Amino acid sequence: MKLFVDTGSIKDIEAIAALGILDGVTTNPSLLAKEPGDFRQNLKKICDIVKGPVSGEVTATDFAGMIKQGHDIASIHKHMVVKTPMTRDGIRACKALSGEGIRVNVTLVFSAAQALLVAKAGATFVSPFVGRLDDVATNGMELIREIVEIYDNYEFPTEVLVASCRHPIHIVEAARMGADIATCPPAVIDQLFNHPLTNIGLEKFLKDWEKAQTVKA
Ligand code: E4P
Protein backbone atom coordinates (compact mmCIF):
# COMPACT_ATOMS: atom_id res chain seq x y z
CA MET A 1 0.00 0.00 0.00
CA LYS A 2 1.25 3.47 -0.83
CA LEU A 3 1.54 6.08 1.90
CA PHE A 4 0.78 9.74 1.16
CA VAL A 5 1.03 12.67 3.54
CA ASP A 6 -1.92 15.06 3.77
CA THR A 7 -0.39 18.49 4.29
CA GLY A 8 0.77 21.67 2.58
CA SER A 9 3.75 22.09 4.89
CA ILE A 10 7.00 21.93 2.90
CA LYS A 11 9.01 21.50 6.12
CA ASP A 12 6.96 18.45 7.15
CA ILE A 13 7.07 16.98 3.64
CA GLU A 14 10.86 17.36 3.50
CA ALA A 15 11.24 15.59 6.86
CA ILE A 16 8.97 12.68 5.90
CA ALA A 17 10.42 12.32 2.38
CA ALA A 18 13.88 12.01 3.95
CA LEU A 19 12.67 8.85 5.74
CA GLY A 20 12.27 7.12 2.37
CA ILE A 21 8.71 5.89 2.97
CA LEU A 22 6.70 8.61 1.24
CA ASP A 23 4.88 7.86 -2.03
CA GLY A 24 2.93 11.07 -2.58
CA VAL A 25 1.15 14.11 -1.16
CA THR A 26 -2.46 15.24 -0.92
CA THR A 27 -3.44 18.84 -0.29
CA ASN A 28 -6.76 20.62 -0.09
CA PRO A 29 -7.68 24.34 -0.05
CA SER A 30 -7.85 24.38 3.79
CA LEU A 31 -4.33 22.92 4.07
CA LEU A 32 -2.79 25.18 1.39
CA ALA A 33 -4.47 28.27 2.87
CA LYS A 34 -2.45 27.72 6.08
CA GLU A 35 0.90 28.01 4.25
CA PRO A 36 2.64 31.33 3.56
CA GLY A 37 3.55 32.22 -0.04
CA ASP A 38 2.04 31.55 -3.44
CA PHE A 39 0.17 28.24 -3.64
CA ARG A 40 1.48 27.43 -7.15
CA GLN A 41 5.08 27.95 -6.04
CA ASN A 42 4.43 25.85 -2.94
CA LEU A 43 2.97 23.01 -5.00
CA LYS A 44 5.95 23.14 -7.35
CA LYS A 45 8.36 22.89 -4.41
CA ILE A 46 6.39 19.92 -3.04
CA CYS A 47 6.58 18.20 -6.46
CA ASP A 48 10.35 18.71 -6.55
CA ILE A 49 10.69 17.03 -3.14
CA VAL A 50 8.30 14.11 -3.68
CA LYS A 51 8.88 11.71 -6.52
CA GLY A 52 5.19 10.79 -6.73
CA PRO A 53 1.68 12.17 -7.22
CA VAL A 54 0.79 15.50 -5.58
CA SER A 55 -2.89 16.43 -5.49
CA GLY A 56 -3.96 20.07 -5.86
CA GLU A 57 -7.65 20.92 -5.69
CA VAL A 58 -9.75 23.18 -7.91
CA THR A 59 -11.78 25.83 -6.09
CA ALA A 60 -14.14 26.58 -8.99
CA THR A 61 -17.54 24.93 -8.63
CA ASP A 62 -18.66 25.12 -12.29
CA PHE A 63 -17.48 22.85 -15.10
CA ALA A 64 -15.73 25.54 -17.18
CA GLY A 65 -13.97 26.95 -14.14
CA MET A 66 -12.80 23.49 -13.03
CA ILE A 67 -11.40 22.75 -16.49
CA LYS A 68 -9.52 26.07 -16.54
CA GLN A 69 -8.10 25.56 -13.03
CA GLY A 70 -7.45 21.89 -13.76
CA HIS A 71 -5.27 22.79 -16.77
CA ASP A 72 -3.44 25.36 -14.66
CA ILE A 73 -2.80 22.91 -11.79
CA ALA A 74 -1.65 20.18 -14.17
CA SER A 75 0.80 22.61 -15.80
CA ILE A 76 2.61 23.28 -12.50
CA HIS A 77 4.59 20.01 -12.63
CA LYS A 78 4.38 16.53 -14.14
CA HIS A 79 3.66 15.08 -10.67
CA MET A 80 0.49 17.15 -10.25
CA VAL A 81 -2.90 15.46 -9.97
CA VAL A 82 -6.06 17.58 -10.24
CA LYS A 83 -8.56 17.17 -7.42
CA THR A 84 -12.21 17.76 -8.28
CA PRO A 85 -15.12 17.57 -5.84
CA MET A 86 -17.77 14.84 -5.96
CA THR A 87 -20.40 17.00 -7.63
CA ARG A 88 -22.05 16.74 -11.04
CA ASP A 89 -19.66 19.37 -12.45
CA GLY A 90 -16.75 17.71 -10.65
CA ILE A 91 -17.53 14.33 -12.22
CA ARG A 92 -17.97 15.93 -15.64
CA ALA A 93 -14.64 17.74 -15.24
CA CYS A 94 -13.04 14.47 -14.13
CA LYS A 95 -14.22 12.72 -17.28
CA ALA A 96 -13.00 15.56 -19.53
CA LEU A 97 -9.61 16.05 -17.86
CA SER A 98 -8.98 12.28 -17.63
CA GLY A 99 -9.80 12.06 -21.36
CA GLU A 100 -6.97 14.52 -21.99
CA GLY A 101 -4.56 12.32 -20.02
CA ILE A 102 -4.60 14.50 -16.89
CA ARG A 103 -4.76 12.47 -13.66
CA VAL A 104 -7.79 13.31 -11.50
CA ASN A 105 -8.48 12.59 -7.82
CA VAL A 106 -12.17 12.93 -6.97
CA THR A 107 -12.51 14.15 -3.41
CA LEU A 108 -15.23 14.44 -0.75
CA VAL A 109 -16.55 10.94 -1.42
CA PHE A 110 -18.81 9.59 1.31
CA SER A 111 -20.72 6.68 -0.29
CA ALA A 112 -20.14 3.60 -2.44
CA ALA A 113 -22.62 4.98 -4.99
CA GLN A 114 -20.45 8.09 -5.39
CA ALA A 115 -17.32 5.94 -5.70
CA LEU A 116 -18.95 3.96 -8.52
CA LEU A 117 -19.57 7.21 -10.45
CA VAL A 118 -15.96 8.28 -9.83
CA ALA A 119 -14.65 5.06 -11.39
CA LYS A 120 -17.02 5.40 -14.34
CA ALA A 121 -15.73 8.95 -14.93
CA GLY A 122 -12.22 7.52 -15.38
CA ALA A 123 -10.62 9.02 -12.26
CA THR A 124 -7.09 7.94 -11.39
CA PHE A 125 -7.89 8.20 -7.66
CA VAL A 126 -11.02 8.21 -5.49
CA SER A 127 -10.79 9.85 -2.06
CA PRO A 128 -13.30 8.51 0.47
CA PHE A 129 -13.06 10.45 3.78
CA VAL A 130 -13.10 7.91 6.61
CA GLY A 131 -12.45 10.22 9.59
CA ARG A 132 -15.25 12.61 8.66
CA LEU A 133 -17.68 9.64 8.43
CA ASP A 134 -16.54 8.41 11.86
CA ASP A 135 -17.21 11.96 13.11
CA VAL A 136 -20.90 11.54 12.25
CA ALA A 137 -21.16 8.08 13.84
CA THR A 138 -20.84 6.16 10.55
CA ASN A 139 -18.08 3.55 10.18
CA GLY A 140 -15.72 5.09 7.60
CA MET A 141 -13.71 1.91 7.10
CA GLU A 142 -16.87 -0.01 6.10
CA LEU A 143 -17.09 2.33 3.13
CA ILE A 144 -13.54 1.37 2.12
CA ARG A 145 -14.49 -2.32 2.25
CA GLU A 146 -17.48 -1.64 -0.07
CA ILE A 147 -15.45 0.41 -2.55
CA VAL A 148 -12.61 -2.14 -2.73
CA GLU A 149 -15.20 -4.91 -3.34
CA ILE A 150 -16.96 -2.97 -6.10
CA TYR A 151 -13.75 -1.90 -7.84
CA ASP A 152 -12.42 -5.49 -7.66
CA ASN A 153 -15.68 -6.89 -9.11
CA TYR A 154 -15.29 -4.83 -12.26
CA GLU A 155 -11.51 -4.39 -12.29
CA PHE A 156 -11.88 -0.60 -12.27
CA PRO A 157 -8.35 0.86 -12.50
CA THR A 158 -9.23 3.82 -10.21
CA GLU A 159 -7.03 3.64 -7.10
CA VAL A 160 -8.69 3.77 -3.68
CA LEU A 161 -7.01 6.58 -1.75
CA VAL A 162 -8.22 6.39 1.86
CA ALA A 163 -8.42 10.00 3.05
CA SER A 164 -9.18 11.76 6.32
CA CYS A 165 -7.21 9.09 8.22
CA ARG A 166 -6.97 10.17 11.84
CA HIS A 167 -4.94 7.39 13.54
CA PRO A 168 -2.75 4.34 12.80
CA ILE A 169 -5.69 1.91 12.96
CA HIS A 170 -7.21 3.62 9.90
CA ILE A 171 -3.95 2.95 8.03
CA VAL A 172 -3.60 -0.66 9.15
CA GLU A 173 -7.26 -1.42 8.32
CA ALA A 174 -6.85 0.24 4.91
CA ALA A 175 -3.89 -2.05 4.20
CA ARG A 176 -5.79 -5.13 5.40
CA MET A 177 -8.69 -4.29 3.09
CA GLY A 178 -6.42 -3.93 0.09
CA ALA A 179 -6.84 -0.18 -0.41
CA ASP A 180 -4.20 1.22 -2.78
CA ILE A 181 -3.18 4.29 -0.78
CA ALA A 182 -3.73 5.91 2.62
CA THR A 183 -3.15 9.61 3.19
CA CYS A 184 -2.75 11.03 6.67
CA PRO A 185 -1.38 14.08 8.48
CA PRO A 186 2.34 14.16 9.45
CA ALA A 187 1.47 13.45 13.10
CA VAL A 188 -0.18 10.15 12.16
CA ILE A 189 2.87 9.09 10.12
CA ASP A 190 4.89 9.80 13.27
CA GLN A 191 2.57 7.58 15.30
CA LEU A 192 3.12 4.68 12.87
CA PHE A 193 6.74 4.51 14.02
CA ASN A 194 6.02 4.31 17.73
CA HIS A 195 5.90 1.28 20.00
CA PRO A 196 7.01 1.43 23.66
CA LEU A 197 8.60 -2.04 23.44
CA THR A 198 10.89 -0.79 20.65
CA ASN A 199 12.17 2.01 22.88
CA ILE A 200 12.53 -0.25 25.94
CA GLY A 201 14.25 -2.94 23.87
CA LEU A 202 16.71 -0.53 22.28
CA GLU A 203 17.55 1.04 25.62
CA LYS A 204 18.32 -2.41 27.07
CA PHE A 205 20.47 -3.49 24.10
CA LEU A 206 22.56 -0.30 24.38
CA LYS A 207 22.91 -0.55 28.18
CA ASP A 208 24.01 -4.22 27.96
CA TRP A 209 26.52 -3.32 25.25
CA GLU A 210 27.93 -0.43 27.25
CA LYS A 211 28.22 -2.60 30.39
CA ALA A 212 30.15 -5.26 28.44
CA GLN A 213 32.58 -2.65 27.05
CA THR A 214 33.30 -1.37 30.61
CA VAL A 215 33.92 -4.93 31.88
CA LYS A 216 36.25 -5.69 28.93
CA ALA A 217 38.22 -2.45 29.39
C1 E4P B 1 -7.73 14.32 1.52
O1 E4P B 1 -7.24 14.49 0.45
C2 E4P B 1 -8.14 15.40 2.43
O2 E4P B 1 -7.25 16.47 2.26
C3 E4P B 1 -8.03 15.03 3.87
O3 E4P B 1 -7.65 13.69 4.06
C4 E4P B 1 -9.13 15.51 4.75
O4 E4P B 1 -8.84 15.13 6.07
P1 E4P B 1 -9.60 15.76 7.33
O5 E4P B 1 -10.98 15.20 7.36
O6 E4P B 1 -8.80 15.30 8.51
O7 E4P B 1 -9.58 17.24 7.14
Side-chain angles (χ1 to χ4, degrees), residues 1-6 21 23 130-131 134 140-141 144 160-193:
M1 186 180 73
K2 286 171 266 185
L3 188 60
F4 287 10
V5 66
D6 192 36
I21 45 105
D23 300 300
V130 295
D134 291 353
M141 292 313 296
I144 303 307
V160 181
L161 195 171
V162 182
S164 185
C165 292
R166 302 272 169 81
H167 47 70
I169 293 178
H170 277 150
I171 315 288
V172 172
E173 287 292 298
R176 293 186 65 190
M177 289 173 187
D180 300 283
I181 307 152
T183 190
C184 60
V188 176
I189 293 191
D190 246 7
Q191 287 176 308
L192 294 175
F193 278 88

Side-chain angles (χ1 to χ4, degrees), residues 6 26 28 31 83 129 132 163-164 166 183:
D6 192 36
T26 49
N28 63 41
L31 292 171
K83 244 182 177 184
F129 278 33
R132 292 192 193 185
S164 185
R166 302 272 169 81
T183 190

Side-chain angles (χ1 to χ4, degrees), residues 46-162:
I46 293 171
C47 288
D48 285 335
I49 301 165
V50 185
K51 307 289 172 244
V54 175
S55 290
E57 191 163 337
V58 300
T59 50
T61 53
D62 64 300
F63 174 73
M66 286 185 200
I67 295 294
K68 190 163 176 272
Q69 289 185 356
H71 285 150
D72 180 52
I73 290 169
S75 76
I76 293 173
H77 196 283
K78 64 175 193 266
H79 292 158
M80 284 308 300
V81 172
V82 176
K83 244 182 177 184
T84 64
M86 180 53 232
T87 58
R88 284 172 175 75
D89 285 51
I91 285 292
R92 216 181 128 202
C94 169
K95 181 82 181 175
L97 292 167
S98 300
E100 291 176 34
I102 293 172
R103 292 178 298 171
V104 177
N105 173 2
V106 179
T107 188
L108 293 167
V109 168
F110 293 97
S111 77
Q114 290 179 328
L116 182 58
L117 298 177
V118 171
K120 290 189 67 65
T124 301
F125 305 103
V126 61
S127 285
F129 278 33
V130 295
R132 292 192 193 185
L133 278 173
D134 291 353
D135 289 344
V136 294
T138 301
N139 188 337
M141 292 313 296
E142 264 315 304
L143 173 60
I144 303 307
R145 198 187 301 283
E146 288 176 8
I147 298 173
V148 168
E149 183 188 358
I150 292 168
Y151 282 17
D152 281 354
N153 283 348
Y154 298 98
E155 295 178 5
F156 283 126
T158 304
E159 293 191 50
V160 181
L161 195 171
V162 182

